[in-house]
Amino acid sequence: MNRSPAEAVHDAERSRQWLAGEARGSGVDRDALWELGAAMAAVTAAAAEREPVAVESAPVGVDPPIVKPLPPELLRPLGSNAEMRWSAMAGQGHVVPTDRFFVRNHTVTPRLDPAAWRLSLSGDGLHGAPTRSAPVEFSLDDLRRLPAEESTALVECAGNGRRFFAEQQGDPTPGVAWGLGGVGVARWRGVRLGAVLRRAGLRDDAVDVMPEGLDPHYVTGGVDLGRVRRPLPIAKALDDVLLAYEMNGEPLPADHGFPVRVVVPGWIGISSIKWVGPVEVSTTPLFSPWNTQFYRLFGPDHPTDGTVLGAQPVKSAFELAWDARVTAGEEVLLRGRSWSGSGPIERVEVDTGDGWRPADLVAADRGGPWQRWTARWSPPAAGRHTLRARATDRTGAGQPDRAAPNTLAYLFDAVVAHPVTAC
């Protein structure tokens, strides 16, 4: 999901507190993480072949890592992940249909029994300090009995656009080679996390909330980091965070977090924990590898321990196949979408080879999580052509010709050169 300045501030503070021994992270040995951190620094300095939180290969003899079908016209498989093909969005509405919504897995999609599933809240941030072994529990039916809300929100992987660091700029690109399809907007329905916290007995002095997924443990560098989890400040948890059990009007699919996932509007995708189960509520700061060691910027322009990721930058994509075929001399209605982690899109321009000109914005999307747009173009002659699109958001942030490189190839924001061939 897109990442807000407030999230960056929270993560930077938790990193400082963790380094000073002021933050807790149950289930992770600090010395082991220091050892892993040193190893990761060496790895990134040597331009390793993958990012710290890249997926592991699926074990032999087990179910495939992704449950849903992966039709090649809709999705491009990337190991345990799958990215949406932008050509599959041509003619679609504002939200991404579930069958082509991207999948980001750290390990594999778990198969969970909804009847046995429980949301389990524990920690000293709740009255009575329930323990992990004796938590306050909610079943799926319990959640469905609470007042439901619906939110149209964007989810985006921090590595979205990574492949273009190498393809356009010649920069080393470790990790999952996402194009621009590691993003999507959906209608999420569920119950506010804040409502559940209050029913569980939230204390006034609670500081952090840490949802944890029920997918398999993540192991890297010989260290078992446990299940994916990431803390949220209590203010964000009580604001607009959703415990979603429906996606686009249907029960949440397995690959997208069934039976319940967290949706954190405005924050980077790793915050929206899928297959949520345990939730720790604490009166002291919490940390996890996913906000102190991983999802950070490394490289010559950053300190040794990395820089916390800021807001997701502005991006634009054409709803067109890569190296699409068009007819020379015939008008084409180009369609695309632009989005930003810092605010709604205000302006989009396209360049079809004769300079930048304004695109027409779809009025219904104004102020939403992303902006659809169109532009007309008649290929002047047969042969290769290059299309470009760039956007500017409400804060004035735009898209440069070249993205600032970093070792793990996060936050690509440059204008993408989209090839087409006129016949």
Side-chain angles (χ1 to χ4, degrees):
M1 176 164 297
N2 294 341
R3 183 179 173 84
S4 70
E7 181 184 12
V9 170
H10 175 257
D11 286 353
E13 177 65 7
R14 289 297 173 266
S15 297
R16 183 198 65 74
Q17 290 171 324
W18 176 70
L19 291 169
E22 298 170 3
R24 278 192 307 109
S26 58
V28 179
D29 180 79
R30 189 180 303 273
D31 292 337
L33 266 181
W34 271 115
E35 202 171 301
L36 175 62
M40 291 316 304
V43 167
T44 54
E49 77 265 13
R50 68 179 198 170
E51 59 179 318
V53 206
V55 298
E56 301 282 351
S57 299
V60 175
V62 302
D63 292 331
I66 297 176
V67 173
K68 71 180 182 181
L70 303 177
E73 69 274 15
L74 302 183
L75 294 159
R76 183 170 76 101
L78 293 168
S80 296
N81 309 285
E83 78 164 310
M84 177 190 72
R85 292 191 185 275
W86 273 99
S87 55
M89 286 305 295
Q92 300 297 323
H94 185 72
V95 302
V96 177
T98 305
D99 63 354
R100 65 207 68 185
F101 204 96
F102 83 100
V103 178
R104 171 63 170 114
N105 284 348
H106 288 84
T107 53
V108 300
T109 295
R111 279 65 164 177
L112 302 176
D113 177 1
W117 175 88
R118 295 292 184 273
L119 185 73
S120 305
L121 293 93
S122 62
D124 64 4
L126 298 175
H127 288 290
T131 64
R132 193 177 175 99
S133 59
V136 177
E137 293 187 327
F138 294 82
S139 68
L140 184 56
D141 286 342
D142 291 334
L143 294 186
R144 287 186 173 276
R145 282 191 285 266
L146 296 177
E149 296 192 16
E150 186 168 284
S151 173
T152 300
L154 183 146
V155 178
E156 182 179 12
C157 177
N160 196 31
R162 177 179 285 124
R163 66 181 257 206
F164 298 112
F165 277 107
E167 292 185 10
Q168 290 194 176
Q169 303 184 179
D171 297 321
T173 310
V176 181
W178 295 99
L180 290 174
V183 63
V185 170
R187 289 184 292 108
W188 310 98
R189 184 174 177 81
V191 60
R192 288 285 185 105
L193 174 58
V196 173
L197 291 171
R198 291 187 176 98
R199 283 179 176 266
L202 182 68
R203 287 175 44 144
D204 291 339
D205 57 350
V207 170
D208 275 359
V209 176
M210 182 141 66
E212 177 181 321
L214 293 173
D215 41 339
H217 285 211
Y218 182 75
V219 179
T220 185
V223 178
D224 184 347
L225 299 179
R227 291 170 171 149
V228 177
R229 60 206 182 280
R230 203 166 193 269
L232 299 168
I234 192 65
K236 181 65 174 177
L238 295 177
D239 182 19
D240 56 357
V241 178
L242 199 66
L243 293 169
Y245 46 71
E246 289 183 8
M247 178 183 182
N248 292 337
E250 300 289 339
L252 203 62
D255 294 306
H256 301 294
F258 178 82
V260 177
R261 72 171 295 163
V262 180
V263 176
V264 186
W267 286 40
I268 202 167
I270 184 62
S271 300
S272 292
I273 298 294
K274 297 193 289 185
W275 316 292
V276 64
V279 176
E280 182 178 1
V281 186
S282 178
T283 58
T284 57
L286 297 172
F287 82 95
S288 89
W290 285 270
N291 77 320
T292 56
Q293 296 289 302
F294 303 153
Y295 290 91
R296 302 176 73 83
L297 299 177
F298 295 94
D301 296 330
H302 301 281
T304 303
D305 61 345
T307 302
V308 176
L309 294 182
Q312 280 278 19
V314 182
K315 293 188 182 72
S316 299
F318 286 93
E319 295 175 1
L320 194 64
W322 196 253
D323 199 14
R325 267 43 180 177
V326 296
T327 302
E330 291 189 7
E331 186 177 78
V332 179
L333 182 63
L334 300 172
R335 300 178 184 273
R337 304 182 190 224
S338 300
W339 62 98
S340 169
S342 297
I345 296 298
E346 287 288 311
R347 183 173 68 255
V348 179
E349 300 168 287
V350 297
D351 176 10
T352 57
D354 52 359
W356 292 102
R357 55 190 171 91
D360 295 320
L361 306 186
V362 174
D365 293 355
R366 297 305 296 264
W370 61 11
Q371 176 66 56
R372 288 175 290 171
W373 46 263
T374 62
R376 296 185 181 278
W377 173 55
S378 295
R384 298 275 287 179
H385 299 269
T386 301
L387 307 178
R388 294 179 172 84
R390 66 185 184 188
T392 303
D393 69 20
R394 186 172 290 174
T395 71
Q399 295 183 252
D401 292 330
R402 181 180 176 85
N406 60 91
T407 306
L408 299 180
Y410 287 130
L411 304 186
F412 185 86
D413 64 346
V415 174
V416 172
H418 191 122
V420 297
T421 298
C423 304

